[in-house]
Structures are given as structure tokens and as C-alpha cells.
Amino acid sequence: MLRCGKTAQNAITVMSFLAERFDDGETRLSSFDVAEKRNQPQTMVAKVLTTLSMAGLVNGTRGPGGGYWLARSPQDISLADIVENFERDDAEMMCPFGPGWCGKGAPCPLHDQIAAFQKDWDDYLNNTTLAVFVKNRGRAK
């Protein structure tokens, strides 16, 4: 449903689960816990959590009692904060007329609509935080 790559979508899936369980790091969830609850491959969840940890979006500890938790409150982490770690910076929507059309002369007939959608999408990612998942705390256990 989201207009971003599969890994970025999986990262949002992982982070949504951590947001639902957010309690300032008291609850620590293993990659296995997250994978099981979100029906995702454990190896993919582990890789995503490693990337998110290096980005400073999650904290983690190893060993007994270890696991992952959000590094900041859900309202302080936007979807853009997550997606930017898995998408190219220059990943804009491509002109349906091919790479040689827009930007080289008159724009294609869809240019204005595509540019508006790109702006709306960027605004959505920047203005939507993980707080939306906290409201659903009782849904997925």
C-alpha cells in the first residue's frame, strides 16, 4: 500500500510494533518477538533492527533480558525518519514518458500531477509519526 520499497515498508512494520509497546525502554523485544507478532521473517527483522539501531531510532541490548525498544518517543519519530534509511535520496517518481522527457524541454502532460503527488507524499512521511500506532495499543498483542 505504501509507495516505498519493500525494506522500508518492513521497517515501518517493525517500528509500528515497537511503538505499540513503547514504555521508555522498560519492555525490550527481540527480533524474534517482532517477527512472530508481525508475521515477518526473523532474519529480515534482525537486519532492519540493526539498520534502525545504527540510525539512532532504536536502542538494543544483547543477552538475557535484552532486546530492542524505540530510542525516542513515538511522536518524535516520523515515517520519513524511518524510510530515509532504506530509500535512495534521489528516489523521485519517474516520468511515464521516460527519463529523457521531463527536465529537458516542456514537461510531460502528467508532470504537474506527479510533482504534486510527490510533494504530498513527502509531506505525509514527514508529518506522520509513530504516535498513530500508539492509539491502537490494544489491537495487536
Side-chain angles (χ1 to χ4, degrees):
M1 181 187 276
L2 291 177
R3 193 198 71 77
C4 52
K6 186 73 171 164
T7 306
Q9 290 179 43
N10 289 333
I12 292 170
T13 297
V14 167
M15 293 293 278
S16 72
F17 187 73
L18 295 179
E20 287 176 357
R21 305 301 190 276
F22 181 73
D23 60 5
D24 288 318
E26 289 183 38
T27 301
R28 298 167 184 207
L29 301 161
S30 71
S31 60
F32 178 80
D33 294 331
V34 176
E36 181 178 60
K37 296 296 185 186
R38 286 296 197 248
N39 196 28
Q40 299 289 322
Q42 191 274 330
T43 54
M44 179 277 302
V45 170
K47 287 178 186 177
V48 164
L49 283 166
T50 298
T51 300
L52 293 167
S53 178
M54 289 188 300
L57 297 175
V58 299
N59 292 323
T61 58
R62 294 180 181 212
Y68 293 91
W69 65 96
L70 293 182
R72 302 189 307 257
S73 144
Q75 62 264 21
D76 294 331
I77 301 174
S78 71
L79 296 184
D81 293 333
I82 301 164
V83 170
E84 71 186 10
N85 293 285
F86 301 95
E87 297 289 326
R88 293 183 2 218
D89 288 340
D90 63 347
E92 291 191 14
M93 295 185 74
M94 189 172 130
C95 174
F97 289 88
W101 188 296
C102 286
K104 297 182 176 144
C108 78
L110 298 176
H111 178 81
D112 292 339
Q113 292 93 340
I114 291 172
F117 178 77
Q118 182 71 45
K119 182 188 178 315
D120 289 346
W121 178 248
D122 291 342
D123 289 346
Y124 171 77
L125 290 177
N126 284 306
N127 296 315
T128 304
T129 70
L130 292 177
V132 299
F133 299 106
V134 175
K135 297 174 187 171
N136 297 323
R137 204 176 267 261
R139 281 188 63 201
K141 295 218 179 199

